[in-house]
Each structure stands twice: as structure tokens, then as C-alpha cells.
Amino acid sequence: MRHLTDALAKLAPAGPEEPAIGPLVEHLREAGLLSACAPADTGGSDLAHLPNDPARLAETLAAVGAASLSAGRLFEGHVNAAKLVALYALGDARDRWCAAIARGQLFGVWGAEGAQPVRLSDGRLSGEKRFASGADILDHAIITARDDAGDVQLFVVGLDRLEGRLFPEEWSVSGMKATASGRVDLDGLRIEPGDHLGAPADYLREPHFQGGVWRYAAVQLGAMQEMTRCTAHQLGARGQTEAPLQAARLRRMVMACETARLWVDHAARTVERPEARPCDAGVAMLARLTIEREAVTLMQEMDAALGAASFATAHPVERHRRDLQFYLRQANPDGLGEAAMGWLRETPEDTRRWNLL
């Protein structure tokens, strides 16, 4: 996977200017990663849905995240969308969307509500979405909306139908800038029968709703690993690798990466196995929270090791630090922690497994 990271990194060089996301996505397309997410029976290779080998997907997500967290965020969104299609789409709609994925079109999932939550009534949407990653580059967006019964329904909408409704320029933040995760105004958008993806409430089914958080933890892991590589290289160039304090810092960074990797691997294998239970989502939540803790520790050690020089915008770790600090705040880690503890007590066996009894 190192060749993938290196190729993407050339398209996202360090510096004060944000890299254009288009070339990064185009490389993912040309490398076959977007099309690989389609189910095997529709021209893909099941990359988004690998119950027997989830480590392959985890390694791919980490490799993209090591080069660019923004590209990793869009790729993870595409994986999420492809998995939703594989899990819940039926009939002609499934064939149509799977064919689009197999052609390398970029999908994403827009679930975060804006000031007015999105609703479906009389065949039209109202409200708006925020944090709509890739608002200026996706081909298709999977959008969540509550229907008149209060259930969450998924819809697949091509971006050609959203002209004049996308506001990526409103994404004014310090990190993850290249994702262009702006606002989307959906007021009055007509929904056609062929736009429906799955049944009401399918989207919230576990373990593939909150249980999917292991995937963006894998992207974040990639950035942690890349910052560790950069730190080791810089200390070597300074002749400080054997200095006791510096060696201790680098050791703690290595340990943080390995702890994170083991949790991501465990969560992926738990959630993606065919016999996974809804309560297995708790393992993915714990993995996500562990990556947050270990990443914060890693960045503290990195800052101490590299000093003020690493805050220069031309430094190779500066954008990784800025993007990761922002990315770790998504989505609602406190809420995940509370929900995880509930899942860990789902059965007496689980309570004993986690030493809670």
C-alpha cells in the first residue's frame, strides 16, 4: 500500500495552499479503488464489503489517510455509500447504482442535519444538510430524510439534480478544508420512486450504522502512521534518534500506532463478519474512541519531538496535524462513548466479556 500513499502524497504536497481534491479523487479512480467497491457480481471486487478479509479495506483506508485525510474522508464516504447499496438496494435501482460504482463514479453519504432538518412530505424534500463532504465533486449523494412517520429513509440523488443548491464555499474551517463539506439546500427537491434506497429505518440498523465508525478510524490511523514516519525521519536527519528523551517520544508514538491498529483490525473483523450482531457496533465505537485517545497522545509526543519548526506550513506534518485535530471531533465522540457502554451490556455474555459483571 506504500505506493498508493506515495502517489497520492505527490498530489498533496506540504505547503500553505490546500491541495485540489479533484486530482486525488481521479487517482483513486484510475487506481481502480472507486470501482473496486462495487459488489463482485456487478463488476467490482467487494472492497467495501469484505466479510472474509476486512483487513484489506482497513489497510486501503489507512493508506489513503496517510497521504491526505481529506481524500481519505471522501474515499471512506464512498465505501460507506457502496456498502449501503450492497446491503439494502434492490432490483433495477441496485443494478443502476452498482453499475455507476463499477464505472468509478464517486458516491457519498450526507446525514448531518442543517438548521432545518431534512424531511420528506408529498414527494418533496425540505430542509438542508451540513458537513456534506465532496459537495463540489461527488457524482451521487445518498441523503437521509425523515418521512411523515418519523422514520429515516435513504435517497440516492445525482449531483446534476442539485445545481444551485450546493454551497461548498461556506466550509470555512481550519482543518479538512479540501473536503469542501459545505451546506446543501434541499427545499423543494422532488424525489422520484427510483431514488429510494432500502426501506425506512434500514440506515440505522446495526452493526452497520454506528458499527461503521471503524472505517474512519482506519483513515485516522493512516495519518498517525505517517506522522510517526515523518518524525522518525526528522529525528534521524537531526542525529537525535538515539537521544534518550527523543527515543522515548518516538517509542510512545510507535506504541500509539500499534494500539490503534490492533483496535481497528479487531473492530473490522468483529463488525464485518457474516454473523455480526447489532451489539457488535460497540466494538467499533470503542475502537473509534481509542484512536482518538492514541492520536492525541501521538500528536503531543510529536510536537515535543519536533518543536516549533513543525508548525511551519511547509512542514510535512503540519497539515496532517491540523486535519486530524479537526477530524477527531467528528462525529460526536461523547455520544459514541455513552452508546458503546450500552451495547457492551447487551447480553450477560457481553457483560462478562468486557469485565462489567
Side-chain angles (χ1 to χ4, degrees), residues 128-327:
E128 60 184 23
K129 293 292 184 182
R130 58 175 183 153
F131 299 141
S133 294
D136 58 349
I137 198 170
L138 295 185
D139 297 298
H140 300 271
I142 296 179
I143 297 171
T144 63
R146 290 197 180 271
D147 59 22
D148 289 335
D151 293 321
V152 176
Q153 175 66 56
L154 297 172
F155 305 99
V156 182
V157 178
L159 257 68
D160 57 338
R161 294 167 56 188
L162 298 177
E163 185 176 355
R165 297 176 175 273
L166 306 173
F167 302 93
E169 69 279 2
E170 294 184 8
W171 184 240
S172 180
V173 293
S174 61
M176 303 294 284
K177 291 182 180 180
T179 62
S181 301
R183 178 174 60 90
V184 181
D185 181 357
L186 297 168
D187 267 341
L189 181 69
R190 177 173 291 280
I191 293 298
E192 305 296 337
D195 297 336
H196 288 65
L197 170 56
D202 275 348
Y203 178 58
L204 301 180
R205 297 188 191 282
E206 297 294 3
H208 299 299
F209 176 53
Q210 296 282 26
V213 298
W214 76 262
R215 292 190 301 268
Y216 61 80
V219 176
Q220 294 162 352
L221 168 62
M224 293 172 62
Q225 292 170 331
E226 188 63 21
M227 287 190 288
T228 301
R229 278 189 286 267
C230 287
T231 301
H233 175 78
Q234 294 264 311
L235 294 181
R238 298 175 184 179
Q240 297 178 338
T241 304
E242 302 302 323
L245 291 177
Q246 296 289 47
R249 291 172 181 132
L250 189 59
R251 181 181 69 246
R252 288 190 287 268
M253 293 177 70
V254 169
M255 292 168 64
C257 285
E258 186 62 6
T259 299
R261 187 194 67 80
L262 290 169
W263 267 100
V264 167
D265 183 76
H266 177 48
R269 294 183 186 281
T270 300
V271 170
E272 300 302 328
R273 74 193 199 282
E275 66 274 19
R277 306 162 299 159
C279 62
D280 289 330
V283 178
M285 296 176 191
L286 290 182
R288 158 69 180 88
L289 295 169
T290 300
I291 272 60
E292 177 191 6
R293 184 193 66 201
E294 298 300 328
V296 170
T297 296
L298 182 142
M299 287 186 285
Q300 290 172 340
E301 299 292 347
M302 180 185 73
D303 289 346
L306 298 180
S310 68
F311 287 84
T313 55
H315 197 280
V317 304
E318 193 275 334
R319 186 183 300 124
H320 282 304
R321 179 201 291 113
R322 173 164 34 92
D323 286 351
L324 186 56
Q325 286 174 335
F326 183 89
Y327 201 178

